[in-house]
Amino acid sequence: MYSADVRRHAVALIGRGISLRSISLSTGISRATLRDWREHPEGSANPRAVCPRCAANPTLPEPQADYAYLLGLYLGDGCISWAGARDKKVWKLRIMCADAWPGLRQDCERAMSTVRPGSKVSTQQKVGCTEVASSSRHWPCLFPQHGPGRKHMRKIELQPWQRTIVTANPGRFARGLFHSDGYRGINRVRARLADGDHWYEYPRYLFTNESTDILRLCGEVLDQLGVAWRFSRRNAISVARREAVARLDEFVGPKY
């Protein structure tokens, strides 16, 4: 799909009497599309296909809460790659969802479909998980963290407009992160006392990622939510204090 600006430019060239062949060669737009625009010059582009980041006056992706959640999922277990031949310039967003938590898969599908309502969401069964995917020309626009290689091998930073969304929706962003590379479980600790060993159990959250940048983003959003946390390992953030777990439960909770 083409942006509204590209369409307006092409229609202007048509209005100046330039041949469709010349316009097609200079812009890469097919003559069939140009003929349709010539016959319907006032027709508006499909609003579902318009990318909010590619518009002449960029806006924030909507719904922002779903975008924040999908951003967390993408940073954890997502990737963007070519969908078919590269000359088509269509990208596929893929997020792996563990089959043990079907609610996670449903939330992921819902977020994908609302952020890009013009793009079909598909699922493919893998070993122990389901790949949730959607194709669009604009996934790299919406997730500029996309790049060659693994995320932990390159710099991961949020754009200012992404920080605006995350700041307004910290709970949804945290939910996406913990739904992808985190979990809520029971931690068991053995204490050796004079009268023998005693075991203590308590709930905790654990977020694990090899990217120091993504770990930093997780820590920042937990700080914003007022959730105490610490590094339990070099690549893992632990939330274990009772009041901190209760606070994070308001936004994340167990996978289901």
Side-chain angles (χ1 to χ4, degrees), residues 51-242:
C51 173
R53 302 308 306 163
C54 293
N57 297 307
T59 59
L60 298 179
E62 297 288 350
Q64 293 182 31
D66 285 343
Y67 176 83
Y69 176 68
L70 192 60
L71 175 61
L73 291 179
Y74 164 72
L75 291 177
D77 281 332
C79 70
I80 296 174
S81 57
W82 291 108
R86 295 192 177 188
D87 58 351
K88 294 183 179 179
K89 297 182 179 180
V90 177
W91 299 87
K92 179 173 285 189
L93 170 65
R94 297 178 173 91
I95 294 178
M96 309 306 294
C97 298
D99 290 337
W101 300 285
L104 164 59
R105 185 187 71 246
Q106 295 167 7
D107 284 354
C108 178
E109 291 182 54
R110 186 181 306 112
M112 271 195 195
S113 63
T114 58
V115 171
R116 294 300 296 158
S119 301
K120 181 181 177 181
V121 177
S122 63
T123 59
Q124 184 175 359
Q125 186 64 50
K126 304 289 185 178
V127 178
C129 63
T130 298
E131 177 189 275
V132 180
S134 176
S135 296
S136 170
R137 291 176 179 267
H138 300 289
W139 285 125
C141 311
L142 296 172
F143 296 106
Q145 289 70 37
H146 165 68
R150 299 180 179 181
K151 296 190 191 79
H152 71 277
M153 301 294 290
R154 61 180 191 269
K155 188 70 175 175
I156 300 293
E157 291 183 321
L158 297 186
Q159 296 295 309
W161 61 268
Q162 291 179 300
R163 286 199 170 274
T164 297
I165 294 176
V166 169
T167 299
N169 301 273
R172 293 289 289 171
F173 182 56
R175 182 179 176 87
L177 288 174
F178 278 91
H179 274 190
S180 57
D181 273 349
Y183 90 108
R184 183 190 189 280
I186 301 298
N187 194 38
R188 302 183 75 241
V189 178
R190 183 176 64 180
R192 294 181 176 179
L193 303 179
D195 59 345
D197 290 350
H198 292 256
W199 287 91
Y200 299 91
E201 295 184 349
Y202 58 90
R204 75 164 177 175
Y205 284 92
L206 198 66
F207 177 75
T208 305
N209 198 289
E210 290 298 320
S211 168
T212 56
D213 291 331
I214 295 175
L215 289 170
R216 173 178 48 79
L217 291 173
C218 183
E220 289 176 354
V221 78
L222 292 176
D223 287 341
Q224 185 180 347
L225 291 171
V227 174
W229 61 276
R230 67 178 182 86
F231 281 104
S232 59
R233 300 192 304 273
R234 63 163 186 82
N235 63 344
I237 284 177
S238 172
V239 175
R241 293 183 182 178
R242 181 180 301 176

